[in-house]
Short mmCIF file of all heavy atoms in Angstrom, two decimals:
data_model
loop_
_atom_site.label_atom_id
_atom_site.label_comp_id
_atom_site.label_asym_id
_atom_site.label_seq_id
_atom_site.Cartn_x
_atom_site.Cartn_y
_atom_site.Cartn_z
N PRO A 433 -8.29 -27.21 -6.99
CA PRO A 433 -9.54 -27.79 -6.46
C PRO A 433 -10.75 -27.65 -7.38
O PRO A 433 -11.76 -28.29 -7.16
CB PRO A 433 -9.76 -27.01 -5.16
CG PRO A 433 -9.14 -25.68 -5.44
CD PRO A 433 -7.97 -25.93 -6.34
N LEU A 508 -19.42 -16.46 -9.19
CA LEU A 508 -18.87 -16.82 -7.90
C LEU A 508 -17.69 -15.89 -7.61
O LEU A 508 -16.88 -15.64 -8.50
CB LEU A 508 -18.37 -18.27 -7.88
CG LEU A 508 -19.39 -19.41 -7.94
CD1 LEU A 508 -18.65 -20.75 -8.02
CD2 LEU A 508 -20.31 -19.41 -6.73
N ARG A 511 -14.28 -17.32 -1.43
CA ARG A 511 -13.55 -18.52 -1.03
C ARG A 511 -14.31 -19.76 -1.52
O ARG A 511 -15.49 -19.92 -1.22
CB ARG A 511 -13.42 -18.59 0.49
CG ARG A 511 -12.76 -17.37 1.10
CD ARG A 511 -11.28 -17.38 0.89
NE ARG A 511 -10.68 -16.10 1.26
CZ ARG A 511 -9.54 -15.66 0.79
NH1 ARG A 511 -8.86 -16.38 -0.07
NH2 ARG A 511 -9.06 -14.49 1.15
N LEU A 512 -13.61 -20.61 -2.27
CA LEU A 512 -14.25 -21.80 -2.83
C LEU A 512 -14.85 -22.67 -1.73
O LEU A 512 -15.95 -23.22 -1.91
CB LEU A 512 -13.23 -22.61 -3.64
CG LEU A 512 -13.77 -23.90 -4.28
CD1 LEU A 512 -14.89 -23.58 -5.26
CD2 LEU A 512 -12.65 -24.66 -4.98
N ALA A 513 -14.17 -22.80 -0.60
CA ALA A 513 -14.67 -23.65 0.48
C ALA A 513 -16.07 -23.22 0.92
O ALA A 513 -16.89 -24.06 1.29
CB ALA A 513 -13.71 -23.61 1.66
N ALA A 514 -16.32 -21.92 0.89
CA ALA A 514 -17.62 -21.41 1.32
C ALA A 514 -18.64 -21.36 0.18
O ALA A 514 -19.84 -21.20 0.43
CB ALA A 514 -17.46 -20.02 1.92
N LEU A 515 -18.16 -21.51 -1.06
CA LEU A 515 -19.05 -21.33 -2.22
C LEU A 515 -19.35 -22.62 -2.96
O LEU A 515 -20.06 -22.60 -3.97
CB LEU A 515 -18.41 -20.33 -3.19
CG LEU A 515 -18.21 -18.90 -2.67
CD1 LEU A 515 -17.43 -18.08 -3.66
CD2 LEU A 515 -19.55 -18.24 -2.38
N LYS A 516 -18.81 -23.76 -2.49
CA LYS A 516 -19.00 -25.02 -3.20
C LYS A 516 -20.46 -25.33 -3.47
O LYS A 516 -20.83 -25.77 -4.56
CB LYS A 516 -18.37 -26.17 -2.40
CG LYS A 516 -16.87 -26.24 -2.48
CD LYS A 516 -16.35 -27.44 -1.69
CE LYS A 516 -14.83 -27.53 -1.77
NZ LYS A 516 -14.32 -28.69 -1.00
N ALA A 517 -21.29 -25.10 -2.47
CA ALA A 517 -22.71 -25.44 -2.61
C ALA A 517 -23.41 -24.60 -3.66
O ALA A 517 -24.43 -25.01 -4.22
CB ALA A 517 -23.41 -25.27 -1.26
N LYS A 518 -22.86 -23.42 -3.95
CA LYS A 518 -23.48 -22.53 -4.94
C LYS A 518 -22.95 -22.76 -6.36
O LYS A 518 -23.46 -22.17 -7.31
CB LYS A 518 -23.24 -21.07 -4.54
CG LYS A 518 -23.86 -20.69 -3.21
CD LYS A 518 -23.57 -19.23 -2.89
CE LYS A 518 -24.17 -18.83 -1.55
NZ LYS A 518 -23.90 -17.40 -1.24
N ALA A 519 -21.92 -23.58 -6.49
CA ALA A 519 -21.30 -23.78 -7.81
C ALA A 519 -22.20 -24.61 -8.71
O ALA A 519 -22.68 -25.69 -8.32
CB ALA A 519 -19.95 -24.47 -7.63
N ASP A 520 -22.42 -24.14 -9.92
CA ASP A 520 -23.21 -24.87 -10.92
C ASP A 520 -22.33 -25.95 -11.53
O ASP A 520 -21.33 -25.65 -12.18
CB ASP A 520 -23.68 -23.89 -12.00
CG ASP A 520 -24.59 -24.53 -13.03
OD1 ASP A 520 -24.64 -25.78 -13.09
OD2 ASP A 520 -25.22 -23.78 -13.80
N PRO A 521 -22.65 -27.23 -11.33
CA PRO A 521 -21.80 -28.31 -11.85
C PRO A 521 -21.69 -28.30 -13.37
O PRO A 521 -20.76 -28.89 -13.93
CB PRO A 521 -22.48 -29.58 -11.34
CG PRO A 521 -23.89 -29.18 -11.02
CD PRO A 521 -23.81 -27.76 -10.59
N LEU A 524 -18.72 -25.61 -13.37
CA LEU A 524 -17.52 -25.77 -12.57
C LEU A 524 -17.43 -27.18 -12.00
O LEU A 524 -18.37 -27.69 -11.39
CB LEU A 524 -17.55 -24.76 -11.41
CG LEU A 524 -16.23 -24.49 -10.70
CD1 LEU A 524 -15.24 -23.78 -11.64
CD2 LEU A 524 -16.46 -23.62 -9.47
N VAL A 526 -15.76 -29.28 -9.20
CA VAL A 526 -15.10 -29.12 -7.92
C VAL A 526 -14.68 -30.48 -7.40
O VAL A 526 -15.48 -31.41 -7.34
CB VAL A 526 -16.04 -28.43 -6.89
CG1 VAL A 526 -15.32 -28.26 -5.55
CG2 VAL A 526 -16.50 -27.09 -7.43
N LYS A 527 -13.41 -30.60 -7.05
CA LYS A 527 -12.89 -31.88 -6.55
C LYS A 527 -13.40 -32.15 -5.14
O LYS A 527 -13.55 -31.25 -4.34
CB LYS A 527 -11.36 -31.86 -6.56
CG LYS A 527 -10.76 -31.78 -7.95
CD LYS A 527 -9.25 -31.79 -7.88
CE LYS A 527 -8.63 -31.66 -9.26
NZ LYS A 527 -7.14 -31.63 -9.21
#
Side-chain angles (χ1 to χ4, degrees):
L508 291 175
R511 305 283 170 204
L512 180 61
L515 297 173
K516 284 182 180 180
K518 298 180 180 180
D520 184 345
L524 197 67
V526 181
K527 295 181 182 178

